[in-house]
Amino acid sequence: MHALNIRDDVATRIRAGVPVVEIGSVDGATGQQAGRPVRLLDRKSELVGCGLLDPENDVVRILSWTAVKSFDAAFFRARVRDAVALRRALGLVKPGESYRAIHGDGDGLSGFAADVYGDYAVLYAYSAALVGLGREIARALQEELKLRGVVVKVRPRGGAKPGQVKQETVGEEPPEKLVVQELGVPYEVHLLGGLNVGLFTDMREHRRNMARLVTGKRVLNTFAYTGALSVTAARLGATSVTSVDLASGVNKWAMENFRLSGLNPDEERWRFETSDVMRFMQKEVDRGAQYDVIIMDPPTVSGVSARSWSMRSDYPDLIALAVKLLPVESGGVLWVSANQHKGPGVMKYIEDGMKSAKRLAQVLEVGGLPPDHPTPVAWPEGRYLEVCYLRVPPEQ
Protein backbone atom coordinates (compact mmCIF):
# COMPACT_ATOMS: atom_id res chain seq x y z
CA MET A 1 0.00 0.00 0.00
CA HIS A 2 1.14 3.50 -0.83
CA ALA A 3 1.89 5.56 2.30
CA LEU A 4 0.41 9.06 2.66
CA ASN A 5 0.78 11.57 5.47
CA ILE A 6 -2.07 13.32 7.27
CA ARG A 7 -2.40 16.27 9.59
CA ASP A 8 -2.80 15.82 13.34
CA ASP A 9 -6.45 16.87 13.31
CA VAL A 10 -7.26 14.35 10.59
CA ALA A 11 -5.42 11.61 12.50
CA THR A 12 -7.46 12.44 15.59
CA ARG A 13 -10.72 12.12 13.65
CA ILE A 14 -9.74 8.79 12.11
CA ARG A 15 -8.64 7.38 15.46
CA ALA A 16 -12.03 8.38 16.85
CA GLY A 17 -13.65 6.13 14.24
CA VAL A 18 -14.48 8.47 11.37
CA PRO A 19 -14.67 6.24 8.24
CA VAL A 20 -14.33 8.99 5.62
CA VAL A 21 -12.01 12.00 5.34
CA GLU A 22 -11.75 14.64 2.65
CA ILE A 23 -9.21 13.72 -0.01
CA GLY A 24 -7.75 17.22 0.15
CA SER A 25 -6.82 16.70 3.80
CA VAL A 26 -4.41 13.87 2.91
CA ASP A 27 -1.01 14.94 1.58
CA GLY A 28 -0.33 13.55 -1.89
CA ALA A 29 -3.78 11.98 -2.34
CA THR A 30 -4.96 14.38 -5.04
CA GLY A 31 -4.19 13.06 -8.51
CA GLN A 32 -3.60 9.48 -7.38
CA GLN A 33 -5.32 6.57 -9.11
CA ALA A 34 -8.92 6.04 -8.06
CA GLY A 35 -9.40 2.98 -5.90
CA ARG A 36 -5.76 2.83 -4.86
CA PRO A 37 -5.18 1.31 -1.40
CA VAL A 38 -3.22 3.55 0.96
CA ARG A 39 -1.73 3.61 4.44
CA LEU A 40 -2.31 6.83 6.35
CA LEU A 41 0.49 7.96 8.65
CA ASP A 42 0.63 10.72 11.23
CA ARG A 43 3.54 13.15 11.69
CA LYS A 44 5.43 10.52 13.67
CA SER A 45 4.99 8.05 10.78
CA GLU A 46 2.71 5.93 12.94
CA LEU A 47 -0.12 4.09 11.23
CA VAL A 48 -3.55 5.67 11.69
CA GLY A 49 -5.55 3.61 9.21
CA CYS A 50 -5.68 1.88 5.84
CA GLY A 51 -8.13 2.81 3.13
CA LEU A 52 -9.02 3.49 -0.48
CA LEU A 53 -8.82 6.63 -2.58
CA ASP A 54 -12.19 7.66 -3.96
CA PRO A 55 -11.64 10.90 -5.91
CA GLU A 56 -15.07 10.62 -7.56
CA ASN A 57 -16.54 11.44 -4.15
CA ASP A 58 -13.56 13.58 -3.02
CA VAL A 59 -12.82 11.28 -0.06
CA VAL A 60 -10.48 8.68 1.33
CA ARG A 61 -12.43 5.71 2.71
CA ILE A 62 -11.05 4.04 5.84
CA LEU A 63 -11.51 0.26 5.83
CA SER A 64 -9.15 -0.67 8.65
CA TRP A 65 -7.78 1.08 11.73
CA THR A 66 -5.00 -1.49 12.06
CA ALA A 67 -2.29 -2.65 9.66
CA VAL A 68 -3.35 -4.90 6.79
CA LYS A 69 -1.16 -6.17 3.97
CA SER A 70 -3.84 -5.83 1.31
CA PHE A 71 -7.56 -5.62 0.73
CA ASP A 72 -7.84 -9.14 -0.64
CA ALA A 73 -10.55 -11.79 -0.72
CA ALA A 74 -9.73 -12.95 2.80
CA PHE A 75 -10.14 -9.40 4.16
CA PHE A 76 -13.58 -9.00 2.61
CA ARG A 77 -14.71 -12.48 3.63
CA ALA A 78 -13.94 -11.61 7.25
CA ARG A 79 -15.83 -8.30 7.05
CA VAL A 80 -18.84 -9.90 5.36
CA ARG A 81 -18.87 -12.76 7.87
CA ASP A 82 -19.02 -10.27 10.73
CA ALA A 83 -21.75 -8.22 9.05
CA VAL A 84 -23.89 -11.31 8.42
CA ALA A 85 -23.39 -12.46 12.01
CA LEU A 86 -25.03 -9.23 13.20
CA ARG A 87 -28.04 -9.79 10.92
CA ARG A 88 -28.34 -13.38 12.12
CA ALA A 89 -28.34 -12.15 15.72
CA LEU A 90 -31.11 -9.70 14.78
CA GLY A 91 -33.19 -12.58 13.42
CA LEU A 92 -33.28 -11.16 9.90
CA VAL A 93 -31.61 -13.98 7.98
CA LYS A 94 -34.66 -16.00 6.93
CA PRO A 95 -35.74 -17.61 3.63
CA GLY A 96 -37.27 -15.06 1.29
CA GLU A 97 -36.72 -12.12 3.66
CA SER A 98 -35.41 -8.65 2.78
CA TYR A 99 -32.86 -6.73 4.85
CA ARG A 100 -29.61 -4.79 4.62
CA ALA A 101 -26.68 -7.17 4.82
CA ILE A 102 -23.89 -4.59 4.49
CA HIS A 103 -24.20 -0.98 5.53
CA GLY A 104 -20.95 0.56 4.36
CA ASP A 105 -19.34 2.70 7.02
CA GLY A 106 -20.98 0.89 9.93
CA ASP A 107 -19.73 -2.51 8.78
CA GLY A 108 -16.18 -1.38 8.01
CA LEU A 109 -16.86 -1.38 4.27
CA SER A 110 -17.11 2.31 3.41
CA GLY A 111 -18.21 2.84 -0.17
CA PHE A 112 -20.41 -0.25 -0.35
CA ALA A 113 -23.92 -1.29 0.66
CA ALA A 114 -25.85 -4.50 0.03
CA ASP A 115 -29.51 -5.42 0.41
CA VAL A 116 -30.74 -9.02 0.38
CA TYR A 117 -33.97 -9.83 -1.44
CA GLY A 118 -34.80 -13.49 -0.95
CA ASP A 119 -32.25 -15.63 -2.80
CA TYR A 120 -30.52 -12.63 -4.36
CA ALA A 121 -28.81 -9.43 -3.29
CA VAL A 122 -28.04 -6.03 -4.75
CA LEU A 123 -24.63 -4.58 -3.89
CA TYR A 124 -23.94 -0.89 -4.49
CA ALA A 125 -20.46 0.46 -5.19
CA TYR A 126 -20.40 4.22 -4.68
CA SER A 127 -17.94 4.90 -7.49
CA ALA A 128 -16.81 3.06 -10.62
CA ALA A 129 -13.33 2.59 -9.17
CA LEU A 130 -14.74 0.42 -6.38
CA VAL A 131 -16.48 -2.11 -8.63
CA GLY A 132 -13.55 -4.55 -8.67
CA LEU A 133 -13.55 -4.78 -4.90
CA GLY A 134 -17.34 -4.88 -5.02
CA ARG A 135 -17.07 -8.16 -6.90
CA GLU A 136 -15.01 -9.60 -4.07
CA ILE A 137 -17.61 -8.50 -1.53
CA ALA A 138 -20.38 -9.93 -3.72
CA ARG A 139 -18.64 -13.31 -3.89
CA ALA A 140 -18.14 -13.33 -0.13
CA LEU A 141 -21.78 -12.39 0.44
CA GLN A 142 -22.99 -15.05 -1.97
CA GLU A 143 -20.91 -17.69 -0.21
CA GLU A 144 -21.84 -16.64 3.34
CA LEU A 145 -25.60 -16.45 2.70
CA LYS A 146 -25.81 -19.17 0.01
CA LEU A 147 -27.33 -16.68 -2.43
CA ARG A 148 -28.06 -17.57 -6.03
CA GLY A 149 -26.67 -14.29 -7.31
CA VAL A 150 -25.63 -10.72 -6.46
CA VAL A 151 -26.25 -7.75 -8.76
CA VAL A 152 -23.43 -5.21 -8.45
CA LYS A 153 -24.57 -1.67 -9.30
CA VAL A 154 -22.50 1.50 -9.54
CA ARG A 155 -24.20 4.25 -7.52
CA PRO A 156 -22.32 7.37 -8.66
CA ARG A 157 -22.38 10.69 -6.93
CA GLY A 158 -25.63 12.37 -7.89
CA GLY A 159 -27.24 9.08 -8.90
CA ALA A 160 -27.95 7.68 -12.36
CA LYS A 161 -30.93 7.85 -14.68
CA PRO A 162 -32.97 4.72 -15.42
CA GLY A 163 -31.38 2.81 -18.27
CA GLN A 164 -27.97 4.30 -17.51
CA VAL A 165 -27.12 2.22 -14.43
CA LYS A 166 -23.85 0.33 -14.80
CA GLN A 167 -24.29 -3.14 -13.35
CA GLU A 168 -23.15 -6.73 -13.56
CA THR A 169 -24.11 -9.95 -11.84
CA VAL A 170 -21.96 -12.29 -9.76
CA GLY A 171 -23.50 -15.76 -9.92
CA GLU A 172 -26.98 -16.33 -11.30
CA GLU A 173 -28.88 -13.37 -12.74
CA PRO A 174 -32.21 -12.78 -10.97
CA PRO A 175 -35.50 -12.70 -12.87
CA GLU A 176 -36.74 -9.35 -14.10
CA LYS A 177 -39.49 -9.37 -11.46
CA LEU A 178 -39.15 -11.09 -8.11
CA VAL A 179 -41.56 -11.39 -5.16
CA VAL A 180 -39.88 -11.21 -1.75
CA GLN A 181 -41.03 -10.91 1.85
CA GLU A 182 -40.67 -8.26 4.53
CA LEU A 183 -42.15 -9.16 7.91
CA GLY A 184 -44.35 -11.68 6.12
CA VAL A 185 -45.66 -9.14 3.58
CA PRO A 186 -44.98 -9.84 -0.13
CA TYR A 187 -43.55 -7.16 -2.39
CA GLU A 188 -42.49 -7.13 -6.02
CA VAL A 189 -38.91 -5.98 -6.66
CA HIS A 190 -37.00 -5.37 -9.89
CA LEU A 191 -33.36 -6.12 -9.13
CA LEU A 192 -32.17 -5.55 -12.70
CA GLY A 193 -33.92 -2.19 -13.08
CA GLY A 194 -32.68 1.18 -11.83
CA LEU A 195 -30.77 2.01 -8.69
CA ASN A 196 -33.92 1.73 -6.57
CA VAL A 197 -35.42 -1.73 -6.90
CA GLY A 198 -38.84 -1.14 -5.31
CA LEU A 199 -38.41 -1.74 -1.58
CA PHE A 200 -36.31 0.34 0.83
CA THR A 201 -34.98 -1.80 3.65
CA ASP A 202 -34.36 1.20 5.92
CA MET A 203 -38.12 1.72 6.34
CA ARG A 204 -38.87 -1.78 7.68
CA GLU A 205 -39.24 -0.87 11.36
CA HIS A 206 -41.39 2.16 10.55
CA ARG A 207 -43.72 -0.05 8.52
CA ARG A 208 -43.80 -2.49 11.43
CA ASN A 209 -44.95 0.24 13.83
CA MET A 210 -47.65 1.88 11.70
CA ALA A 211 -50.67 0.07 13.20
CA ARG A 212 -51.03 2.50 16.10
CA LEU A 213 -51.35 5.37 13.61
CA VAL A 214 -53.42 4.09 10.70
CA THR A 215 -55.99 1.55 11.94
CA GLY A 216 -59.46 2.91 11.22
CA LYS A 217 -58.02 6.08 9.63
CA ARG A 218 -58.13 7.79 6.24
CA VAL A 219 -54.53 7.76 4.98
CA LEU A 220 -52.81 9.87 2.32
CA ASN A 221 -49.40 8.59 1.20
CA THR A 222 -47.46 11.18 -0.81
CA PHE A 223 -44.39 10.34 -2.90
CA ALA A 224 -45.77 6.82 -2.58
CA TYR A 225 -43.32 5.15 -5.00
CA THR A 226 -44.22 1.43 -5.19
CA GLY A 227 -46.71 1.74 -2.35
CA ALA A 228 -44.97 -0.20 0.44
CA LEU A 229 -46.28 2.20 3.09
CA SER A 230 -49.69 2.23 1.43
CA VAL A 231 -49.90 -1.57 1.46
CA THR A 232 -48.89 -1.55 5.12
CA ALA A 233 -51.63 0.95 6.01
CA ALA A 234 -54.25 -1.00 4.08
CA ARG A 235 -53.27 -4.31 5.67
CA LEU A 236 -53.36 -2.72 9.13
CA GLY A 237 -56.96 -1.62 8.78
CA ALA A 238 -56.95 1.87 7.30
CA THR A 239 -60.46 2.71 6.09
CA SER A 240 -59.03 4.30 2.94
CA VAL A 241 -55.59 4.84 1.42
CA THR A 242 -54.72 7.34 -1.30
CA SER A 243 -51.31 6.89 -2.95
CA VAL A 244 -49.84 9.77 -4.94
CA ASP A 245 -46.77 9.64 -7.15
CA LEU A 246 -45.68 11.48 -10.25
CA ALA A 247 -44.81 8.29 -12.17
CA SER A 248 -47.63 6.18 -13.58
CA GLY A 249 -45.30 3.18 -13.76
CA VAL A 250 -44.71 3.02 -10.02
CA ASN A 251 -48.43 3.51 -9.40
CA LYS A 252 -49.09 0.37 -11.43
CA TRP A 253 -46.33 -1.33 -9.44
CA ALA A 254 -48.04 -0.23 -6.21
CA MET A 255 -51.30 -1.70 -7.45
CA GLU A 256 -49.57 -5.03 -8.02
CA ASN A 257 -48.23 -4.91 -4.46
CA PHE A 258 -51.82 -4.49 -3.28
CA ARG A 259 -52.82 -7.58 -5.27
CA LEU A 260 -49.98 -9.58 -3.74
CA SER A 261 -51.49 -8.84 -0.31
CA GLY A 262 -54.95 -9.93 -1.42
CA LEU A 263 -56.19 -6.34 -1.69
CA ASN A 264 -58.19 -5.36 -4.76
CA PRO A 265 -56.65 -2.09 -6.04
CA ASP A 266 -59.84 -1.37 -7.99
CA GLU A 267 -61.83 -0.89 -4.78
CA GLU A 268 -62.92 2.71 -4.32
CA ARG A 269 -61.23 3.03 -0.93
CA TRP A 270 -57.79 2.41 -2.51
CA ARG A 271 -56.93 5.39 -4.76
CA PHE A 272 -53.83 5.68 -6.95
CA GLU A 273 -53.20 9.18 -8.25
CA THR A 274 -50.54 10.07 -10.81
CA SER A 275 -49.75 13.70 -10.05
CA ASP A 276 -47.28 16.22 -8.73
CA VAL A 277 -47.76 15.94 -4.95
CA MET A 278 -48.01 19.67 -4.22
CA ARG A 279 -50.55 20.20 -6.98
CA PHE A 280 -52.60 17.20 -5.88
CA MET A 281 -52.68 18.34 -2.27
CA GLN A 282 -53.72 21.86 -3.23
CA LYS A 283 -56.59 20.45 -5.31
CA GLU A 284 -57.63 18.31 -2.33
CA VAL A 285 -57.62 21.39 -0.10
CA ASP A 286 -59.70 23.28 -2.66
CA ARG A 287 -62.35 20.53 -2.78
CA GLY A 288 -62.47 20.19 1.01
CA ALA A 289 -60.95 16.70 1.27
CA GLN A 290 -59.79 15.46 4.67
CA TYR A 291 -57.34 12.80 5.84
CA ASP A 292 -56.55 11.58 9.35
CA VAL A 293 -52.95 10.53 8.62
CA ILE A 294 -50.68 12.02 5.96
CA ILE A 295 -47.39 10.33 5.08
CA MET A 296 -44.62 12.46 3.60
CA ASP A 297 -41.48 10.60 2.53
CA PRO A 298 -40.07 12.79 -0.25
CA PRO A 299 -36.79 12.55 -2.16
CA THR A 300 -34.14 15.12 -1.34
CA VAL A 301 -34.32 16.59 -4.83
CA SER A 302 -36.18 15.68 -8.00
CA GLY A 303 -36.23 17.22 -11.43
CA VAL A 304 -38.38 14.66 -13.21
CA SER A 305 -41.43 16.89 -13.43
CA ALA A 306 -42.25 20.26 -14.88
CA ARG A 307 -42.22 21.46 -11.30
CA SER A 308 -38.95 20.31 -9.75
CA TRP A 309 -38.80 19.41 -6.06
CA SER A 310 -36.21 20.53 -3.52
CA MET A 311 -36.55 19.35 0.06
CA ARG A 312 -34.66 22.34 1.41
CA SER A 313 -36.94 24.95 -0.20
CA ASP A 314 -40.25 23.09 -0.66
CA TYR A 315 -40.66 20.82 2.36
CA PRO A 316 -41.92 23.43 4.85
CA ASP A 317 -44.58 24.51 2.32
CA LEU A 318 -45.62 20.89 1.82
CA ILE A 319 -45.99 20.36 5.58
CA ALA A 320 -48.05 23.55 5.90
CA LEU A 321 -50.27 22.39 3.04
CA ALA A 322 -50.72 18.96 4.64
CA VAL A 323 -52.01 20.57 7.84
CA LYS A 324 -54.92 22.03 5.84
CA LEU A 325 -56.02 18.48 4.93
CA LEU A 326 -56.36 17.36 8.56
CA PRO A 327 -59.82 17.58 10.19
CA VAL A 328 -60.18 20.89 12.06
CA GLU A 329 -62.45 19.41 14.72
CA SER A 330 -60.30 16.37 15.58
CA GLY A 331 -56.83 17.04 14.22
CA GLY A 332 -54.63 14.31 12.81
CA VAL A 333 -51.16 12.88 12.40
CA LEU A 334 -48.34 13.79 10.03
CA TRP A 335 -45.73 11.11 9.31
CA VAL A 336 -42.73 13.18 8.21
CA SER A 337 -39.37 11.84 7.06
CA ALA A 338 -36.08 13.34 5.96
CA ASN A 339 -33.65 11.17 4.05
CA GLN A 340 -30.42 13.10 3.61
CA HIS A 341 -26.80 13.01 4.71
CA LYS A 342 -26.46 16.79 4.89
CA GLY A 343 -28.80 19.68 5.43
CA PRO A 344 -31.44 20.62 8.00
CA GLY A 345 -32.87 17.84 10.14
CA VAL A 346 -36.49 16.77 9.97
CA MET A 347 -37.41 18.92 13.00
CA LYS A 348 -36.24 22.09 11.22
CA TYR A 349 -38.54 21.38 8.28
CA ILE A 350 -41.40 20.70 10.70
CA GLU A 351 -40.78 23.86 12.71
CA ASP A 352 -40.77 25.99 9.56
CA GLY A 353 -43.83 24.24 8.17
CA MET A 354 -45.87 24.59 11.36
CA LYS A 355 -44.87 28.24 11.66
CA SER A 356 -46.15 28.82 8.14
CA ALA A 357 -49.36 26.94 8.93
CA LYS A 358 -49.77 28.96 12.16
CA ARG A 359 -50.61 25.80 14.09
CA LEU A 360 -49.22 24.08 17.17
CA ALA A 361 -48.23 20.42 17.12
CA GLN A 362 -46.94 17.62 19.35
CA VAL A 363 -43.99 15.35 18.58
CA LEU A 364 -45.13 11.81 19.35
CA GLU A 365 -41.95 10.01 18.33
CA VAL A 366 -38.75 10.47 16.35
CA GLY A 367 -37.07 7.43 14.82
CA GLY A 368 -34.22 6.66 12.49
CA LEU A 369 -32.39 3.78 10.88
CA PRO A 370 -33.12 0.15 11.82
CA PRO A 371 -30.41 -2.00 13.45
CA ASP A 372 -29.33 -3.62 10.17
CA HIS A 373 -28.12 -0.12 9.18
CA PRO A 374 -25.41 0.38 11.86
CA THR A 375 -23.38 3.59 11.87
CA PRO A 376 -20.14 4.59 13.61
CA VAL A 377 -20.55 6.66 16.78
CA ALA A 378 -18.10 9.23 15.41
CA TRP A 379 -19.96 9.59 12.10
CA PRO A 380 -23.36 11.24 12.63
CA GLU A 381 -23.48 12.01 8.90
CA GLY A 382 -24.14 8.32 8.36
CA ARG A 383 -27.41 8.47 10.29
CA TYR A 384 -29.27 9.95 7.35
CA LEU A 385 -32.85 8.86 8.06
CA GLU A 386 -35.19 10.69 10.43
CA VAL A 387 -38.89 9.94 10.78
CA CYS A 388 -41.16 12.04 13.01
CA TYR A 389 -44.70 11.17 14.06
CA LEU A 390 -46.38 14.51 14.62
CA ARG A 391 -49.84 15.10 16.06
CA VAL A 392 -51.63 18.25 15.03
CA PRO A 393 -54.40 18.71 17.61
CA PRO A 394 -57.82 20.27 16.89
CA GLU A 395 -57.62 23.93 16.02
CA GLN A 396 -58.23 26.01 19.14
Side-chain angles (χ1 to χ4, degrees), residues 261-314:
S261 280
L263 301 164
N264 183 356
D266 295 325
E267 287 188 28
E268 186 176 350
R269 59 182 176 149
W270 315 133
R271 291 172 59 197
F272 300 87
E273 298 286 343
T274 301
S275 174
D276 173 87
V277 167
M278 295 278 274
R279 289 174 181 168
F280 173 82
M281 290 175 67
Q282 185 59 59
K283 288 181 179 178
E284 291 291 89
V285 170
D286 293 343
R287 77 176 185 89
Q290 292 186 336
Y291 298 91
D292 304 302
V293 178
I294 300 176
I295 299 169
M296 290 172 280
D297 183 27
T300 304
V301 293
S302 176
V304 297
S305 66
R307 183 195 183 287
S308 61
W309 161 268
S310 169
M311 182 178 286
R312 186 181 292 270
S313 59
D314 296 331

Side-chain angles (χ1 to χ4, degrees), residues 21-145:
V21 294
E22 301 80 4
I23 202 166
S25 68
V26 179
D27 293 343
T30 302
Q32 294 277 355
Q33 181 182 358
R36 183 171 189 173
V38 295
R39 291 183 298 125
L40 302 181
L41 309 177
D42 64 13
R43 288 187 177 183
K44 298 179 180 179
S45 295
E46 294 180 352
L47 181 72
V48 178
C50 300
L52 299 169
L53 298 180
D54 183 4
E56 183 178 322
N57 293 289
D58 297 321
V59 297
V60 179
R61 301 187 178 277
I62 313 302
L63 300 188
S64 178
W65 284 258
T66 59
V68 294
K69 291 183 178 180
S70 65
F71 295 126
D72 56 10
F75 174 88
F76 290 115
R77 279 198 302 269
R79 285 293 163 89
V80 169
R81 194 177 304 120
D82 183 64
V84 170
L86 170 61
R87 279 68 182 181
R88 291 189 196 279
L90 294 170
L92 296 173
V93 183
K94 299 176 182 177
E97 194 69 15
S98 303
Y99 56 92
R100 174 143 292 191
I102 295 171
H103 191 59
D105 300 326
D107 286 308
L109 290 169
S110 180
F112 304 95
D115 293 312
V116 170
Y117 297 99
D119 293 331
Y120 300 90
V122 174
L123 185 141
Y124 298 99
Y126 284 82
S127 71
L130 301 179
V131 170
L133 296 179
R135 294 189 198 104
E136 293 291 345
I137 298 173
R139 294 187 188 101
L141 196 61
Q142 184 183 19
E143 178 182 342
E144 186 67 25
L145 289 169

Side-chain angles (χ1 to χ4, degrees), residues 94-99 115-122 147 174-175 177-191 197-201 207 228 231 235 253 257 260-261:
K94 299 176 182 177
E97 194 69 15
S98 303
Y99 56 92
D115 293 312
V116 170
Y117 297 99
D119 293 331
Y120 300 90
V122 174
L147 299 173
K177 297 180 181 180
L178 180 70
V179 176
V180 298
Q181 301 279 323
E182 181 194 77
L183 303 173
V185 180
Y187 296 99
E188 179 181 291
V189 293
H190 302 174
L191 305 189
V197 304
L199 184 66
F200 294 114
T201 57
R207 284 189 278 269
V231 168
R235 287 175 61 102
W253 195 343
N257 280 331
L260 289 172
S261 280

